[in-house]
Amino acid sequence: MFCYQCEQTTRSSTGNGCHEVKGVCGKDETTADLQDLMIYGLQGIAQYAKRLRQFGGNPSQADDFMLYALFTTLTNVNFNASRFVQLIKETAGWRDRLKAQYEALAEQQDVPVEALTGPGQWQPASTLAGLMIQAQEAAINLELQQVGEDIIGLRAMLLYGIKGAAAYAYHALMLGYRDDDIGAGFEEALDFLATHPDDADQLLDWSMRIGQLNYKVMAMLDAANTGSFGAQQISTVNLAPVKGKAILVSGHDLHDLAQLLEQTQGLGINIYTHGEMLPAHAYPKLKAYPHLVGNYGTAWQNQHQDFTQFPGPILMTSNCLVEPAGAYRQRIFTAGPVGWPGVRHIVGGNFAPVIEAALALPGFSEDAPEHLITVGFGRDTVMGVADKVIDAVKAGAIQHFFLIGGCDGAAPGRNYFTEVAEQAPDKTVILTLGCGKYRFNSHDFGDIGGIPRLLDMGQCNDAYSAIQVASALAKAFDCGVNDLPLSLMISWFEQKAVAVLLTLLSLGIRGIRLGPTLPAFLTPALLAKLGEAFDLKATGTAAQDIQDAMKKAA
């Protein structure tokens, strides 16, 4: 086992990365190795899918499978080793079908068939023991001695960006949105990784290409969310429990939430969001359900406490899952790519088992005092008052914008983001997205001429909205985005965050401060390279970073 794809990975004087029998996230060695082996197999699918396209074939169904399979390997998503044994078999099946289609079309068009090696011809072992032996040839750091840690780090950054972008594309797919060009982009990137690339500049260029691909993916997901549920509206959300039966929905998937809301209409069950599901309350077609009554708990890393205290079943729709505690293990359900051994999994969008559990459990016995916060400051909302924002900047009422966004986590140092928000001068506006918002979204920051100082823009993928707002402001002020009075303090945790970071860098955004610790796959040499190209730096102290930002504003 070797894994360093997330912020919580083991760090030591002898090297970074989880390489014992269990990772810090709780993923065991068997599951970790099977995930690596499946990724290897997915490269084989990509090899044949790319070539099939060149002959006019359509591998879109295989692409859909790849998105799902990639999503299962993200941090804190699926810990079920038996599921990966099955997925590996399915991976080989898809690969072989694409191979047959490619060879048939090549023969029809009288073109020599390309003999592929590596993932293109690999066959999975028939036993778990055999798969574990094969997995030794699929480890992320396999060629460390031959190519060095910088190349391994660049390969990892590219792969993790692919994983994050695939997760966003899967969310869009669940709402019926797909794009063949985006599918081809995933195929090309995985096909490239299958060649064991060892040129640093080429790998960095491919990372920027994945950043651009993820930008397209986030645009597609934005269209999927707004097309399915309407554009975000400014909305108040109750953080206090309401008397009655209850279901808690965590993760990120709005499609699952919509299905559950539809299936629970008129049953007397209240639905609560948790973690990154909070922005659901801003979408008109979701908040129209009267039994979507509020948000319970905070960010993903606090789920042991939140889920233990919740008096109903919990539905985990995507990342981030941690090992279920005994206090709620019998009333937590997973859906989509998520999984934990022994936890009941919902198949086909039929949430009857969750509903039955909710009706059997007590729910909340009384109403708690109302506690309201405001969400819904997506790009449509913000652009609707753009003229007021621009006038406030020109008049000096707004001197700077701080984008404090990204993933939250349990590691020390994350209070930095709370301190930035709390210490930001009164004449500044705080934009936030991702679950990091829970560090400060209950605070009262007041307003500037009727414009709230805290604008919650939504989920982590709503970085797309933030980019659109920044671009519009830059156009209004006739300058580049990097010339705006804007500072980005980004809390990273897992692979979706890597994808968003690559998107920002690919768009030429400079001056990002990343924390609380830098990705373990960013070696000192790689960090220096990114620092020189993009002024990417680790977060410092809140006071000093704010001071530096305000100097820019002046």
Side-chain angles (χ1 to χ4, degrees), residues 62 90 109 165 208 382 408 474 484 525:
E90 294 177 28
Q109 300 179 31
M208 295 303 101
V382 176
D408 205 357
L484 290 171

Side-chain angles (χ1 to χ4, degrees), residues 220-245:
M220 180 173 67
L221 180 53
D222 178 83
N225 287 339
T226 56
S228 301
F229 309 119
Q232 288 190 43
Q233 298 173 347
I234 298 175
S235 308
T236 56
V237 183
N238 187 12
L239 302 185
V242 176
K243 182 179 179 180
K245 303 287 186 178

Side-chain angles (χ1 to χ4, degrees), residues 32-218:
D33 288 350
L34 290 173
Q35 288 181 357
D36 288 345
L37 188 58
M38 186 185 68
I39 294 292
Y40 183 75
L42 293 177
Q43 292 174 8
I45 290 180
Q47 286 178 308
Y48 284 108
K50 175 185 174 181
R51 286 156 179 81
L52 181 62
R53 281 187 187 276
Q54 295 170 352
F55 289 93
N58 182 7
S60 61
Q61 288 186 312
D63 290 342
D64 294 349
F65 171 78
M66 282 202 302
L67 297 180
Y68 173 83
L70 285 165
F71 199 163
T72 63
T73 70
L74 266 68
T75 300
N76 291 96
V77 173
N78 199 308
F79 300 79
N80 194 339
S82 62
R83 181 64 182 128
F84 287 102
V85 171
Q86 179 60 36
L87 281 172
I88 286 170
K89 294 178 181 178
E90 294 177 28
T91 297
W94 277 108
R95 190 270 320 278
D96 291 344
R97 287 191 290 274
L98 292 179
K99 177 183 178 182
Q101 293 174 38
Y102 157 67
E103 291 177 347
L105 286 175
E107 184 176 347
Q108 289 175 16
Q109 300 179 31
D110 198 25
V111 176
V113 172
E114 186 177 350
L116 299 179
T117 59
Q121 56 81 37
W122 162 76
Q123 292 297 329
S126 60
T127 65
L128 178 59
L131 291 173
M132 295 301 289
I133 293 173
Q134 290 182 331
Q136 297 174 21
E137 300 301 313
I140 187 73
N141 63 341
L142 175 65
E143 297 179 330
L144 177 61
Q145 299 304 317
Q146 290 82 11
V147 300
E149 63 177 2
D150 295 340
I151 295 300
I152 295 297
L154 282 167
R155 289 179 185 173
M157 183 167 69
L158 175 57
L159 174 59
Y160 302 155
I162 292 170
K163 287 186 178 188
Y168 289 141
Y170 175 82
H171 286 307
L173 179 64
M174 292 301 96
L175 294 171
Y177 285 67
R178 60 157 56 88
D179 185 310
D180 276 350
D181 289 340
I182 287 174
F186 283 112
E187 295 162 13
E188 291 168 0
L190 287 170
D191 175 72
F192 172 70
L193 277 177
T195 67
H196 297 275
D198 58 8
D199 181 276
D201 290 335
Q202 191 180 28
L203 279 160
L204 186 58
D205 177 68
W206 269 94
S207 290
M208 295 303 101
R209 290 174 65 171
I210 286 300
Q212 287 291 314
L213 179 69
N214 186 58
Y215 186 57
K216 295 177 182 178
V217 169
M218 289 194 300

Side-chain angles (χ1 to χ4, degrees), residues 248-327:
L248 185 62
V249 184
S250 191
H252 296 71
D253 202 288
L254 298 182
H255 176 256
D256 280 343
L257 174 62
Q259 286 187 303
L260 180 66
L261 287 167
E262 184 67 24
Q263 292 175 32
T264 49
Q265 284 192 101
L267 298 181
I269 301 173
N270 292 324
I271 307 299
Y272 296 80
T273 57
H274 177 269
E276 280 264 56
M277 297 300 292
L278 170 62
H281 296 270
Y283 289 97
K285 291 185 180 180
L286 294 178
K287 72 176 186 176
Y289 288 96
H291 59 303
L292 179 63
V293 298
N295 189 79
Y296 183 89
T298 55
W300 70 272
Q301 76 276 5
N302 299 321
Q303 64 189 255
H304 275 167
Q305 176 181 338
D306 294 341
F307 293 177
T308 294
Q309 296 176 350
F310 189 78
I314 302 104
L315 174 65
M316 179 62 71
T317 67
S318 62
N319 53 322
C320 300
L321 173 69
V322 299
E323 181 175 2

Side-chain angles (χ1 to χ4, degrees), residues 324-344:
Y328 60 85
R329 185 181 289 264
Q330 298 305 312
R331 53 186 174 88
I332 187 171
F333 299 80
T334 59
V338 198
W340 189 278
V343 168
R344 287 173 286 180

